[in-house]
Each structure stands twice: as structure tokens, then as C-alpha cells.
Amino acid sequence: QVQLDEWGGGSVQAGDSLRLSCVASGRSFSGSSMAWFRRTPGKAREFVAAIGWDVAITNYADSVKGRFTISRDNAKNMLFLQMSTLKPEDTAVYYCATLGRWNPPSGNFWGQGTQVTVSS
């Protein structure tokens, strides 16, 4: 079992930046691949970005490639998502998750989510 807690969401203007953070507890964080997903009302949760346990591998959804950067600090059991040049279509609840599968990406354990709202 693992517990994930995210924070850092908020309401911003298009073009602004936000940094989401997630802290993990309850299992070996450093040995787990991690990911961010997001969901908008009426839509299925979608993959945003993933990072391998050793940081060597990352993967991004095409819609965020070049604008978002996923990173982690294994010493602090933390996962981050740096979001730049935000667009209104990035508005969603963002979830931190342990990655159960790379292709297609799927999560095992989930945080409670943090709301990101981008206005034009």
C-alpha cells in the first residue's frame, strides 16, 4: 500500500506556470515508476507524464510535450510536475500515481488530486 498526497494546483492565466508536488509514503518510492494523470469533468482520466525509478526514462503525452517537465527526488519521496505555458485546455484535476504499466500508461495507487484551472 502507498499513500500519495499532491498539492500545488491553483487558478492561473494562460501562459503562466505552476509546479505540482506529490509526496509518497508507505512503500519503496525509489523503486517505483511514477506518473501524473489528469481528468476533466465528463472525460476519462488521461496520462500526462511518467518517470522511471532511476530518472533515466521519462514519457510525456503529446499535448504537454515541451511544456511540462516531470522530475523526482528519491531522497525525499517526492514527485514533481513543472507546468509552463499553461493553456485553458490544461484545466483539470491532476493526480499523482504509481505507474503500474508503461504502455499504455496506467496507475496503481492514486492521490486525491489537485485542481488546476487556467483561464484565457
Side-chain angles (χ1 to χ4, degrees):
Q1 193 75 8
V2 61
Q3 181 173 348
L4 302 169
D5 294 297
E6 315 96 328
W7 67 92
S11 296
V12 296
Q13 298 288 319
D16 285 351
S17 299
L18 275 176
R19 188 194 197 203
L20 305 184
S21 300
C22 170
V23 65
S25 60
R27 64 178 278 178
S28 174
F29 174 81
S30 61
S32 300
S33 296
M34 300 294 297
W36 290 95
F37 292 78
R38 66 187 182 187
R39 181 163 58 193
T40 55
K43 294 186 178 181
R45 189 153 41 192
E46 66 171 347
F47 168 74
V48 176
I51 187 167
W53 66 271
D54 62 353
V55 191
I57 299 174
T58 57
N59 186 30
Y60 294 91
D62 288 342
S63 58
V64 306
K65 205 170 290 185
R67 299 188 299 120
F68 290 11
T69 302
I70 189 170
S71 62
R72 64 191 295 164
D73 184 338
N74 287 338
K76 296 181 179 179
N77 283 4
M78 292 196 68
L79 179 72
F80 306 99
L81 185 69
Q82 178 66 46
M83 305 184 294
S84 303
T85 320
L86 282 161
K87 304 176 181 179
E89 50 264 44
D90 294 319
T91 296
V93 177
Y94 284 72
Y95 299 88
C96 169
T98 57
L99 192 67
R101 184 179 59 205
W102 277 89
N103 189 22
S106 66
N108 282 342
F109 296 99
W110 301 88
Q112 79 288 352
T114 184
Q115 175 72 47
V116 172
T117 303
V118 185
S119 55
S120 57

Tab-separated table of all heavy atoms in Angstrom, residues 36-101:
chain	number	residue	atom	x	y	z
A	36	TRP	N	1.989	11.299	-13.572
A	36	TRP	CA	0.906	12.254	-13.379
A	36	TRP	C	-0.174	11.967	-14.429
A	36	TRP	O	0.131	11.723	-15.604
A	36	TRP	CB	1.404	13.694	-13.550
A	36	TRP	CG	2.292	14.156	-12.461
A	36	TRP	CD1	3.667	14.137	-12.451
A	36	TRP	CD2	1.898	14.728	-11.207
A	36	TRP	NE1	4.141	14.656	-11.266
A	36	TRP	CE2	3.074	15.035	-10.496
A	36	TRP	CE3	0.661	15.022	-10.619
A	36	TRP	CZ2	3.044	15.614	-9.218
A	36	TRP	CZ3	0.640	15.591	-9.360
A	36	TRP	CH2	1.820	15.885	-8.673
A	37	PHE	N	-1.406	11.998	-13.970
A	37	PHE	CA	-2.573	11.905	-14.837
A	37	PHE	C	-3.455	13.118	-14.548
A	37	PHE	O	-3.256	13.829	-13.562
A	37	PHE	CB	-3.360	10.621	-14.545
A	37	PHE	CG	-2.649	9.354	-14.935
A	37	PHE	CD1	-1.639	8.831	-14.143
A	37	PHE	CD2	-3.007	8.674	-16.088
A	37	PHE	CE1	-0.986	7.652	-14.493
A	37	PHE	CE2	-2.364	7.491	-16.449
A	37	PHE	CZ	-1.352	6.983	-15.641
A	38	ARG	N	-4.439	13.340	-15.409
A	38	ARG	CA	-5.381	14.422	-15.165
A	38	ARG	C	-6.762	14.033	-15.676
A	38	ARG	O	-6.895	13.170	-16.548
A	38	ARG	CB	-4.915	15.721	-15.826
A	38	ARG	CG	-4.901	15.697	-17.349
A	38	ARG	CD	-4.270	16.978	-17.891
A	38	ARG	NE	-4.281	17.010	-19.351
A	38	ARG	CZ	-3.674	17.938	-20.079
A	38	ARG	NH1	-3.008	18.927	-19.485
A	38	ARG	NH2	-3.739	17.896	-21.399
A	39	ARG	N	-7.766	14.693	-15.129
A	39	ARG	CA	-9.139	14.421	-15.552
A	39	ARG	C	-9.944	15.704	-15.558
A	39	ARG	O	-9.896	16.482	-14.588
A	39	ARG	CB	-9.800	13.395	-14.638
A	39	ARG	CG	-11.230	13.057	-15.037
A	39	ARG	CD	-11.711	11.789	-14.397
A	39	ARG	NE	-11.656	11.821	-12.957
A	39	ARG	CZ	-11.794	10.723	-12.196
A	39	ARG	NH1	-11.981	9.567	-12.740
A	39	ARG	NH2	-11.751	10.847	-10.887
A	40	THR	N	-10.690	15.878	-16.623
A	40	THR	CA	-11.635	16.978	-16.723
A	40	THR	C	-13.038	16.407	-16.617
A	40	THR	O	-13.265	15.234	-16.938
A	40	THR	CB	-11.472	17.739	-18.046
A	40	THR	OG1	-11.578	16.806	-19.135
A	40	THR	CG2	-10.121	18.415	-18.120
A	41	PRO	N	-14.006	17.200	-16.154
A	41	PRO	CA	-15.370	16.699	-15.992
A	41	PRO	C	-15.916	16.084	-17.266
A	41	PRO	O	-15.791	16.650	-18.348
A	41	PRO	CB	-16.161	17.955	-15.588
A	41	PRO	CG	-15.149	18.830	-14.947
A	41	PRO	CD	-13.877	18.601	-15.711
A	42	GLY	N	-16.488	14.902	-17.146
A	42	GLY	CA	-17.093	14.241	-18.291
A	42	GLY	C	-16.125	13.462	-19.150
A	42	GLY	O	-16.536	12.864	-20.145
A	43	LYS	N	-14.853	13.474	-18.786
A	43	LYS	CA	-13.852	12.750	-19.582
A	43	LYS	C	-13.122	11.732	-18.719
A	43	LYS	O	-13.069	11.845	-17.501
A	43	LYS	CB	-12.840	13.733	-20.181
A	43	LYS	CG	-13.418	14.686	-21.217
A	43	LYS	CD	-12.310	15.513	-21.842
A	43	LYS	CE	-12.853	16.438	-22.909
A	43	LYS	NZ	-11.784	17.232	-23.554
A	44	ALA	N	-12.555	10.756	-19.385
A	44	ALA	CA	-11.756	9.761	-18.680
A	44	ALA	C	-10.434	10.385	-18.226
A	44	ALA	O	-9.953	11.355	-18.819
A	44	ALA	CB	-11.487	8.574	-19.585
A	45	ARG	N	-9.865	9.807	-17.194
A	45	ARG	CA	-8.571	10.286	-16.736
A	45	ARG	C	-7.529	10.019	-17.821
A	45	ARG	O	-7.510	8.927	-18.398
A	45	ARG	CB	-8.214	9.567	-15.438
A	45	ARG	CG	-7.009	10.105	-14.726
A	45	ARG	CD	-7.065	9.867	-13.228
A	45	ARG	NE	-7.555	8.573	-12.837
A	45	ARG	CZ	-7.889	8.239	-11.593
A	45	ARG	NH1	-7.788	9.144	-10.637
A	45	ARG	NH2	-8.314	7.037	-11.307
A	46	GLU	N	-6.678	11.001	-18.088
A	46	GLU	CA	-5.692	10.840	-19.159
A	46	GLU	C	-4.275	10.966	-18.629
A	46	GLU	O	-4.010	11.680	-17.661
A	46	GLU	CB	-5.923	11.869	-20.273
A	46	GLU	CG	-5.684	13.302	-19.881
A	46	GLU	CD	-5.716	14.248	-21.081
A	46	GLU	OE1	-5.678	13.771	-22.233
A	46	GLU	OE2	-5.765	15.463	-20.856
A	47	PHE	N	-3.399	10.269	-19.279
A	47	PHE	CA	-1.982	10.276	-18.935
A	47	PHE	C	-1.360	11.620	-19.262
A	47	PHE	O	-1.662	12.213	-20.299
A	47	PHE	CB	-1.289	9.169	-19.706
A	47	PHE	CG	0.215	9.224	-19.665
A	47	PHE	CD1	0.905	8.862	-18.517
A	47	PHE	CD2	0.931	9.654	-20.769
A	47	PHE	CE1	2.288	8.925	-18.474
A	47	PHE	CE2	2.306	9.711	-20.742
A	47	PHE	CZ	2.994	9.348	-19.593
A	48	VAL	N	-0.475	12.098	-18.392
A	48	VAL	CA	0.237	13.349	-18.621
A	48	VAL	C	1.735	13.107	-18.783
A	48	VAL	O	2.332	13.483	-19.788
A	48	VAL	CB	-0.010	14.347	-17.476
A	48	VAL	CG1	0.830	15.619	-17.677
A	48	VAL	CG2	-1.491	14.692	-17.365
A	49	ALA	N	2.345	12.458	-17.787
A	49	ALA	CA	3.792	12.245	-17.827
A	49	ALA	C	4.167	11.128	-16.870
A	49	ALA	O	3.472	10.886	-15.886
A	49	ALA	CB	4.538	13.523	-17.448
A	50	ALA	N	5.281	10.457	-17.166
A	50	ALA	CA	5.781	9.381	-16.311
A	50	ALA	C	7.293	9.466	-16.198
A	50	ALA	O	7.964	10.002	-17.091
A	50	ALA	CB	5.367	8.032	-16.866
A	51	ILE	N	7.800	8.903	-15.116
A	51	ILE	CA	9.247	8.899	-14.902
A	51	ILE	C	9.644	7.580	-14.260
A	51	ILE	O	8.963	7.071	-13.375
A	51	ILE	CB	9.668	10.102	-14.024
A	51	ILE	CG1	11.190	10.213	-13.926
A	51	ILE	CG2	9.020	10.049	-12.643
A	51	ILE	CD1	11.649	11.539	-13.340
A	52	GLY	N	10.746	7.004	-14.724
A	52	GLY	CA	11.226	5.758	-14.178
A	52	GLY	C	11.820	5.931	-12.796
A	52	GLY	O	12.128	7.037	-12.364
A	53	TRP	N	12.026	4.813	-12.120
A	53	TRP	CA	12.534	4.876	-10.753
A	53	TRP	C	13.920	5.502	-10.702
A	53	TRP	O	14.285	6.148	-9.712
A	53	TRP	CB	12.571	3.477	-10.135
A	53	TRP	CG	13.568	2.559	-10.813
A	53	TRP	CD1	13.343	1.749	-11.885
A	53	TRP	CD2	14.937	2.387	-10.458
A	53	TRP	NE1	14.489	1.082	-12.225
A	53	TRP	CE2	15.485	1.436	-11.371
A	53	TRP	CE3	15.764	2.916	-9.479
A	53	TRP	CZ2	16.803	1.033	-11.302
A	53	TRP	CZ3	17.091	2.506	-9.410
A	53	TRP	CH2	17.607	1.571	-10.328
A	54	ASP	N	14.686	5.325	-11.775
A	54	ASP	CA	16.050	5.846	-11.773
A	54	ASP	C	16.183	7.150	-12.531
A	54	ASP	O	17.303	7.604	-12.792
A	54	ASP	CB	16.997	4.816	-12.369
A	54	ASP	CG	16.658	4.495	-13.818
A	54	ASP	OD1	15.618	4.968	-14.308
A	54	ASP	OD2	17.433	3.766	-14.453
A	55	VAL	N	15.069	7.751	-12.893
A	55	VAL	CA	15.020	9.057	-13.564
A	55	VAL	C	15.476	8.987	-15.013
A	55	VAL	O	15.303	9.945	-15.760
A	55	VAL	CB	15.843	10.124	-12.797
A	55	VAL	CG1	15.587	11.522	-13.333
A	55	VAL	CG2	15.528	10.086	-11.324
A	56	ALA	N	16.041	7.862	-15.459
A	56	ALA	CA	16.608	7.786	-16.798
A	56	ALA	C	15.552	7.812	-17.886
A	56	ALA	O	15.819	8.231	-19.014
A	56	ALA	CB	17.453	6.526	-16.931
A	57	ILE	N	14.353	7.360	-17.552
A	57	ILE	CA	13.298	7.271	-18.556
A	57	ILE	C	12.163	8.209	-18.182
A	57	ILE	O	11.698	8.220	-17.036
A	57	ILE	CB	12.752	5.837	-18.658
A	57	ILE	CG1	13.856	4.871	-19.069
A	57	ILE	CG2	11.603	5.775	-19.645
A	57	ILE	CD1	13.430	3.416	-19.042
A	58	THR	N	11.720	8.994	-19.156
A	58	THR	CA	10.526	9.815	-18.989
A	58	THR	C	9.658	9.660	-20.223
A	58	THR	O	10.131	9.295	-21.305
A	58	THR	CB	10.848	11.309	-18.786
A	58	THR	OG1	11.617	11.775	-19.913
A	58	THR	CG2	11.626	11.540	-17.506
A	59	ASN	N	8.394	9.934	-20.051
A	59	ASN	CA	7.450	9.850	-21.162
A	59	ASN	C	6.392	10.916	-20.958
A	59	ASN	O	5.970	11.164	-19.823
A	59	ASN	CB	6.807	8.462	-21.206
A	59	ASN	CG	5.941	8.268	-22.424
A	59	ASN	OD1	6.202	8.850	-23.478
A	59	ASN	ND2	4.915	7.458	-22.301
A	60	TYR	N	5.978	11.544	-22.039
A	60	TYR	CA	5.008	12.626	-21.950
A	60	TYR	C	3.891	12.429	-22.966
A	60	TYR	O	4.113	11.911	-24.064
A	60	TYR	CB	5.678	13.979	-22.227
A	60	TYR	CG	6.694	14.388	-21.201
A	60	TYR	CD1	8.035	14.046	-21.346
A	60	TYR	CD2	6.319	15.124	-20.084
A	60	TYR	CE1	8.979	14.425	-20.401
A	60	TYR	CE2	7.249	15.515	-19.133
A	60	TYR	CZ	8.579	15.160	-19.304
A	60	TYR	OH	9.506	15.529	-18.356
A	61	ALA	N	2.723	12.876	-22.600
A	61	ALA	CA	1.635	12.967	-23.570
A	61	ALA	C	1.997	14.034	-24.597
A	61	ALA	O	2.641	15.036	-24.268
A	61	ALA	CB	0.335	13.330	-22.868
A	62	ASP	N	1.603	13.826	-25.828
A	62	ASP	CA	1.918	14.788	-26.886
A	62	ASP	C	1.409	16.184	-26.560
A	62	ASP	O	2.029	17.192	-26.907
A	62	ASP	CB	1.329	14.322	-28.215
A	62	ASP	CG	2.062	13.125	-28.793
A	62	ASP	OD1	3.207	12.860	-28.363
A	62	ASP	OD2	1.482	12.446	-29.664
A	63	SER	N	0.286	16.244	-25.857
A	63	SER	CA	-0.345	17.536	-25.579
A	63	SER	C	0.459	18.402	-24.611
A	63	SER	O	0.238	19.613	-24.539
A	63	SER	CB	-1.751	17.322	-25.009
A	63	SER	OG	-1.684	16.539	-23.832
A	64	VAL	N	1.397	17.794	-23.872
A	64	VAL	CA	2.167	18.572	-22.894
A	64	VAL	C	3.660	18.567	-23.192
A	64	VAL	O	4.429	19.249	-22.507
A	64	VAL	CB	1.936	18.044	-21.459
A	64	VAL	CG1	0.446	18.004	-21.140
A	64	VAL	CG2	2.573	16.675	-21.251
A	65	LYS	N	4.066	17.808	-24.189
A	65	LYS	CA	5.488	17.690	-24.515
A	65	LYS	C	6.073	19.066	-24.827
A	65	LYS	O	5.497	19.831	-25.600
A	65	LYS	CB	5.655	16.742	-25.699
A	65	LYS	CG	6.990	16.065	-25.792
A	65	LYS	CD	6.955	14.964	-26.847
A	65	LYS	CE	6.105	13.794	-26.412
A	65	LYS	NZ	6.148	12.662	-27.377
A	66	GLY	N	7.202	19.371	-24.208
A	66	GLY	CA	7.842	20.655	-24.416
A	66	GLY	C	7.373	21.741	-23.465
A	66	GLY	O	7.997	22.799	-23.368
A	67	ARG	N	6.290	21.500	-22.765
A	67	ARG	CA	5.759	22.491	-21.816
A	67	ARG	C	5.825	22.001	-20.368
A	67	ARG	O	5.990	22.801	-19.454
A	67	ARG	CB	4.301	22.815	-22.153
A	67	ARG	CG	4.101	23.407	-23.531
A	67	ARG	CD	2.660	23.884	-23.725
A	67	ARG	NE	1.687	22.806	-23.611
A	67	ARG	CZ	0.703	22.770	-22.716
A	67	ARG	NH1	0.563	23.755	-21.843
A	67	ARG	NH2	-0.150	21.756	-22.703
A	68	PHE	N	5.671	20.703	-20.161
A	68	PHE	CA	5.676	20.120	-18.826
A	68	PHE	C	6.957	19.313	-18.634
A	68	PHE	O	7.459	18.691	-19.571
A	68	PHE	CB	4.487	19.183	-18.629
A	68	PHE	CG	3.138	19.861	-18.561
A	68	PHE	CD1	2.972	21.203	-18.888
A	68	PHE	CD2	2.026	19.147	-18.162
A	68	PHE	CE1	1.738	21.820	-18.826
A	68	PHE	CE2	0.776	19.735	-18.093
A	68	PHE	CZ	0.636	21.075	-18.427
A	69	THR	N	7.437	19.292	-17.387
A	69	THR	CA	8.611	18.502	-17.046
A	69	THR	C	8.344	17.728	-15.762
A	69	THR	O	8.006	18.330	-14.733
A	69	THR	CB	9.849	19.388	-16.846
A	69	THR	OG1	10.097	20.135	-18.044
A	69	THR	CG2	11.076	18.532	-16.528
A	70	ILE	N	8.499	16.421	-15.831
A	70	ILE	CA	8.333	15.581	-14.649
A	70	ILE	C	9.698	15.322	-14.035
A	70	ILE	O	10.685	15.150	-14.757
A	70	ILE	CB	7.615	14.255	-15.004
A	70	ILE	CG1	7.249	13.484	-13.737
A	70	ILE	CG2	8.441	13.412	-15.960
A	70	ILE	CD1	6.336	12.290	-13.998
A	71	SER	N	9.749	15.322	-12.713
A	71	SER	CA	11.001	15.051	-12.019
A	71	SER	C	10.687	14.410	-10.676
A	71	SER	O	9.533	14.378	-10.250
A	71	SER	CB	11.822	16.335	-11.839
A	71	SER	OG	11.117	17.272	-11.051
A	72	ARG	N	11.719	13.919	-10.015
A	72	ARG	CA	11.520	13.282	-8.727
A	72	ARG	C	12.749	13.465	-7.859
A	72	ARG	O	13.862	13.669	-8.361
A	72	ARG	CB	11.207	11.791	-8.903
A	72	ARG	CG	12.330	10.981	-9.516
A	72	ARG	CD	11.852	9.591	-9.911
A	72	ARG	NE	11.463	8.813	-8.750
A	72	ARG	CZ	10.732	7.687	-8.820
A	72	ARG	NH1	10.333	7.237	-9.998
A	72	ARG	NH2	10.433	7.021	-7.714
A	73	ASP	N	12.530	13.365	-6.559
A	73	ASP	CA	13.602	13.399	-5.563
A	73	ASP	C	13.424	12.170	-4.703
A	73	ASP	O	12.593	12.153	-3.788
A	73	ASP	CB	13.524	14.687	-4.737
A	73	ASP	CG	14.671	14.828	-3.762
A	73	ASP	OD1	15.296	13.811	-3.408
A	73	ASP	OD2	14.927	15.968	-3.337
A	74	ASN	N	14.173	11.128	-4.998
A	74	ASN	CA	14.003	9.870	-4.279
A	74	ASN	C	14.387	9.988	-2.804
A	74	ASN	O	13.850	9.272	-1.961
A	74	ASN	CB	14.808	8.767	-4.953
A	74	ASN	CG	14.189	8.318	-6.260
A	74	ASN	OD1	12.989	8.510	-6.503
A	74	ASN	ND2	14.997	7.726	-7.121
A	75	ALA	N	15.302	10.858	-2.493
A	75	ALA	CA	15.715	11.035	-1.096
A	75	ALA	C	14.581	11.599	-0.249
A	75	ALA	O	14.522	11.357	0.960
A	75	ALA	CB	16.928	11.946	-1.026
A	76	LYS	N	13.670	12.340	-0.887
A	76	LYS	CA	12.560	12.957	-0.155
A	76	LYS	C	11.218	12.312	-0.481
A	76	LYS	O	10.172	12.796	-0.042
A	76	LYS	CB	12.501	14.456	-0.473
A	76	LYS	CG	13.727	15.228	-0.012
A	76	LYS	CD	13.601	16.703	-0.332
A	76	LYS	CE	14.825	17.473	0.151
A	76	LYS	NZ	14.734	18.919	-0.170
A	77	ASN	N	11.237	11.247	-1.267
A	77	ASN	CA	9.994	10.564	-1.668
A	77	ASN	C	9.024	11.513	-2.353
A	77	ASN	O	7.814	11.474	-2.095
A	77	ASN	CB	9.312	9.923	-0.453
A	77	ASN	CG	9.988	8.632	-0.021
A	77	ASN	OD1	11.019	8.255	-0.577
A	77	ASN	ND2	9.434	7.991	0.973
A	78	MET	N	9.553	12.341	-3.229
A	78	MET	CA	8.711	13.352	-3.848
A	78	MET	C	8.748	13.288	-5.369
A	78	MET	O	9.761	12.963	-5.975
A	78	MET	CB	9.108	14.744	-3.375
A	78	MET	CG	8.797	14.979	-1.901
A	78	MET	SD	8.821	16.711	-1.457
A	78	MET	CE	7.386	17.285	-2.338
A	79	LEU	N	7.621	13.629	-5.955
A	79	LEU	CA	7.427	13.695	-7.393
A	79	LEU	C	6.957	15.102	-7.726
A	79	LEU	O	6.192	15.695	-6.960
A	79	LEU	CB	6.368	12.680	-7.833
A	79	LEU	CG	6.017	12.620	-9.304
A	79	LEU	CD1	7.153	11.984	-10.102
A	79	LEU	CD2	4.729	11.830	-9.497
A	80	PHE	N	7.404	15.617	-8.869
A	80	PHE	CA	7.053	16.975	-9.261
A	80	PHE	C	6.565	17.017	-10.697
A	80	PHE	O	6.924	16.173	-11.511
A	80	PHE	CB	8.264	17.905	-9.140
A	80	PHE	CG	8.909	17.876	-7.786
A	80	PHE	CD1	10.056	17.115	-7.561
A	80	PHE	CD2	8.377	18.603	-6.733
A	80	PHE	CE1	10.658	17.093	-6.318
A	80	PHE	CE2	8.964	18.577	-5.485
A	80	PHE	CZ	10.103	17.812	-5.272
A	81	LEU	N	5.776	18.032	-10.986
A	81	LEU	CA	5.391	18.319	-12.365
A	81	LEU	C	5.479	19.826	-12.554
A	81	LEU	O	4.670	20.573	-12.016
A	81	LEU	CB	3.976	17.827	-12.688
A	81	LEU	CG	3.568	17.997	-14.147
A	81	LEU	CD1	4.380	17.050	-15.040
A	81	LEU	CD2	2.068	17.727	-14.325
A	82	GLN	N	6.481	20.255	-13.293
A	82	GLN	CA	6.628	21.659	-13.631
A	82	GLN	C	5.841	21.929	-14.909
A	82	GLN	O	6.133	21.333	-15.941
A	82	GLN	CB	8.097	22.019	-13.828
A	82	GLN	CG	8.334	23.465	-14.222
A	82	GLN	CD	7.960	24.438	-13.130
A	82	GLN	OE1	8.317	24.240	-11.969
A	82	GLN	NE2	7.215	25.482	-13.473
A	83	MET	N	4.859	22.797	-14.807
A	83	MET	CA	3.987	23.092	-15.944
A	83	MET	C	4.219	24.532	-16.379
A	83	MET	O	4.072	25.461	-15.571
A	83	MET	CB	2.526	22.882	-15.552
A	83	MET	CG	2.231	21.500	-14.991
A	83	MET	SD	0.482	21.231	-14.653
A	83	MET	CE	0.234	22.396	-13.332
A	84	SER	N	4.577	24.694	-17.639
A	84	SER	CA	4.842	26.023	-18.181
A	84	SER	C	3.938	26.279	-19.374
A	84	SER	O	3.385	25.343	-19.958
A	84	SER	CB	6.303	26.136	-18.596
A	84	SER	OG	7.166	25.865	-17.514
A	85	THR	N	3.825	27.538	-19.737
A	85	THR	CA	2.997	27.937	-20.883
A	85	THR	C	1.638	27.256	-20.810
A	85	THR	O	1.175	26.610	-21.766
A	85	THR	CB	3.701	27.607	-22.213
A	85	THR	OG1	5.093	27.892	-22.117
A	85	THR	CG2	3.102	28.420	-23.354
A	86	LEU	N	0.998	27.374	-19.673
A	86	LEU	CA	-0.277	26.695	-19.464
A	86	LEU	C	-1.352	27.227	-20.400
A	86	LEU	O	-1.374	28.426	-20.748
A	86	LEU	CB	-0.709	26.851	-18.009
A	86	LEU	CG	0.023	25.918	-17.039
A	86	LEU	CD1	-0.098	26.425	-15.617
A	86	LEU	CD2	-0.515	24.502	-17.169
A	87	LYS	N	-2.226	26.330	-20.809
A	87	LYS	CA	-3.329	26.648	-21.713
A	87	LYS	C	-4.656	26.340	-21.011
A	87	LYS	O	-4.704	25.490	-20.114
A	87	LYS	CB	-3.218	25.800	-22.979
A	87	LYS	CG	-1.904	25.937	-23.723
A	87	LYS	CD	-1.857	24.981	-24.901
A	87	LYS	CE	-0.537	25.088	-25.653
A	87	LYS	NZ	-0.479	24.145	-26.797
A	88	PRO	N	-5.733	26.966	-21.447
A	88	PRO	CA	-7.034	26.652	-20.841
A	88	PRO	C	-7.371	25.160	-20.911
A	88	PRO	O	-8.010	24.628	-19.985
A	88	PRO	CB	-8.003	27.490	-21.672
A	88	PRO	CG	-7.193	28.663	-22.106
A	88	PRO	CD	-5.821	28.107	-22.366
A	89	GLU	N	-6.929	24.485	-21.947
A	89	GLU	CA	-7.211	23.051	-22.068
A	89	GLU	C	-6.422	22.201	-21.089
A	89	GLU	O	-6.652	20.989	-20.994
A	89	GLU	CB	-6.970	22.559	-23.498
A	89	GLU	CG	-5.632	22.945	-24.088
A	89	GLU	CD	-5.705	24.200	-24.945
A	89	GLU	OE1	-6.374	25.186	-24.524
A	89	GLU	OE2	-5.080	24.206	-26.018
A	90	ASP	N	-5.504	22.800	-20.352
A	90	ASP	CA	-4.803	22.088	-19.287
A	90	ASP	C	-5.619	22.067	-17.995
A	90	ASP	O	-5.222	21.411	-17.020
A	90	ASP	CB	-3.450	22.738	-18.997
A	90	ASP	CG	-2.482	22.616	-20.170
A	90	ASP	OD1	-2.439	21.547	-20.789
A	90	ASP	OD2	-1.780	23.617	-20.445
A	91	THR	N	-6.724	22.775	-17.971
A	91	THR	CA	-7.590	22.785	-16.796
A	91	THR	C	-8.087	21.377	-16.494
A	91	THR	O	-8.674	20.718	-17.356
A	91	THR	CB	-8.782	23.731	-17.007
A	91	THR	OG1	-8.307	25.070	-17.149
A	91	THR	CG2	-9.755	23.654	-15.843
A	92	ALA	N	-7.823	20.917	-15.280
A	92	ALA	CA	-8.177	19.544	-14.892
A	92	ALA	C	-7.817	19.341	-13.441
A	92	ALA	O	-7.133	20.159	-12.820
A	92	ALA	CB	-7.435	18.534	-15.763
A	93	VAL	N	-8.247	18.204	-12.906
A	93	VAL	CA	-7.725	17.723	-11.630
A	93	VAL	C	-6.531	16.836	-11.956
A	93	VAL	O	-6.649	15.913	-12.772
A	93	VAL	CB	-8.784	16.930	-10.840
A	93	VAL	CG1	-8.175	16.389	-9.552
A	93	VAL	CG2	-9.988	17.813	-10.542
A	94	TYR	N	-5.405	17.136	-11.345
A	94	TYR	CA	-4.175	16.397	-11.603
A	94	TYR	C	-3.918	15.407	-10.473
A	94	TYR	O	-4.009	15.758	-9.295
A	94	TYR	CB	-3.003	17.362	-11.750
A	94	TYR	CG	-3.003	18.063	-13.086
A	94	TYR	CD1	-3.942	19.055	-13.364
A	94	TYR	CD2	-2.082	17.724	-14.075
A	94	TYR	CE1	-3.953	19.693	-14.604
A	94	TYR	CE2	-2.092	18.362	-15.313
A	94	TYR	CZ	-3.031	19.335	-15.564
A	94	TYR	OH	-3.050	19.956	-16.789
A	95	TYR	N	-3.571	14.183	-10.871
A	95	TYR	CA	-3.352	13.103	-9.921
A	95	TYR	C	-1.934	12.557	-10.022
A	95	TYR	O	-1.437	12.298	-11.118
A	95	TYR	CB	-4.316	11.951	-10.191
A	95	TYR	CG	-5.776	12.300	-10.055
A	95	TYR	CD1	-6.497	12.803	-11.139
A	95	TYR	CD2	-6.448	12.131	-8.840
A	95	TYR	CE1	-7.837	13.130	-11.020
A	95	TYR	CE2	-7.783	12.445	-8.713
A	95	TYR	CZ	-8.466	12.946	-9.800
A	95	TYR	OH	-9.803	13.263	-9.684
A	96	CYS	N	-1.362	12.353	-8.896
A	96	CYS	CA	-0.090	11.646	-8.772
A	96	CYS	C	-0.413	10.155	-8.644
A	96	CYS	O	-1.393	9.783	-7.987
A	96	CYS	CB	0.616	12.177	-7.518
A	96	CYS	SG	2.044	11.270	-6.955
A	97	ALA	N	0.404	9.295	-9.261
A	97	ALA	CA	0.123	7.868	-9.208
A	97	ALA	C	1.404	7.054	-9.320
A	97	ALA	O	2.368	7.488	-9.955
A	97	ALA	CB	-0.823	7.477	-10.340
A	98	THR	N	1.388	5.876	-8.731
A	98	THR	CA	2.430	4.913	-9.036
A	98	THR	C	2.075	4.304	-10.387
A	98	THR	O	0.902	4.066	-10.682
A	98	THR	CB	2.525	3.817	-7.967
A	98	THR	OG1	1.259	3.176	-7.839
A	98	THR	CG2	2.921	4.397	-6.617
A	99	LEU	N	3.088	4.054	-11.196
A	99	LEU	CA	2.844	3.583	-12.557
A	99	LEU	C	2.866	2.061	-12.573
A	99	LEU	O	3.877	1.433	-12.303
A	99	LEU	CB	3.910	4.152	-13.491
A	99	LEU	CG	3.636	3.992	-14.975
A	99	LEU	CD1	2.434	4.829	-15.391
A	99	LEU	CD2	4.864	4.382	-15.785
A	100	GLY	N	1.718	1.478	-12.929
A	100	GLY	CA	1.643	0.026	-12.997
A	100	GLY	C	2.097	-0.531	-14.337
A	100	GLY	O	2.550	-1.670	-14.421
A	101	ARG	N	1.982	0.286	-15.374
A	101	ARG	CA	2.331	-0.151	-16.716
A	101	ARG	C	2.731	1.047	-17.548
A	101	ARG	O	2.130	2.115	-17.440
A	101	ARG	CB	1.116	-0.842	-17.347
A	101	ARG	CG	1.344	-1.454	-18.717
A	101	ARG	CD	0.053	-2.120	-19.207
A	101	ARG	NE	-1.023	-1.165	-19.293
A	101	ARG	CZ	-2.316	-1.500	-19.217
A	101	ARG	NH1	-2.655	-2.757	-19.007
A	101	ARG	NH2	-3.248	-0.571	-19.324
